[in-house]
Amino acid sequence: MGRKGHDLLNVTGAVGATVARIKTLDAVPEAVANFLAQHNLPAEIAMAPDPLLERAPWAQRPLLKIRKGPSDGRDAVSVSAAFAGIAETGTLMLASG
């Protein structure tokens, strides 16, 4: 990864976001469950409706409660797919609509 990729990871952490580097979509449920456990959070997430996220094997984590839809502001953790990131600001680009 080039210098800009490292900048994105550093800046996102500085603004309170977490980035997990995974190799395949199959690893997403485990990465989410690990994040929740590491931060002593309940096994509950809000998940944006997204065809990519829908293909992840969520059934591998049957104890993970997934509420699909936008965050209502009370969710401790939400999962969204980003299609781009801006290294200088830590901004993640998400599709809406």
Side-chain angles (χ1 to χ4, degrees):
M1 180 186 317
R3 186 172 118 54
K4 291 295 183 191
H6 289 293
D7 287 347
L8 177 62
L9 296 178
N10 291 335
V11 174
T12 53
V15 297
T18 301
V19 176
R21 297 181 75 185
I22 57 172
K23 293 186 181 204
T24 69
L25 184 62
D26 288 348
V28 170
E30 182 178 357
V32 170
N34 288 343
F35 172 86
L36 296 171
Q38 288 169 358
H39 295 279
N40 199 28
L41 293 165
E44 300 174 355
I45 62 170
M47 187 170 76
D50 183 278
L52 179 65
L53 292 174
E54 295 289 335
R55 291 196 318 260
W58 295 104
Q60 292 177 353
R61 294 293 176 163
L63 299 179
L64 184 61
K65 181 180 174 186
I66 301 172
R67 186 182 58 75
K68 296 180 182 175
S71 175
D72 61 8
R74 295 177 292 183
D75 301 301
V77 177
S78 64
V79 176
S80 298
F83 67 86
I86 301 169
E88 293 78 10
T89 62
T91 302
L92 298 176
M93 303 292 289
L94 307 175
S96 66

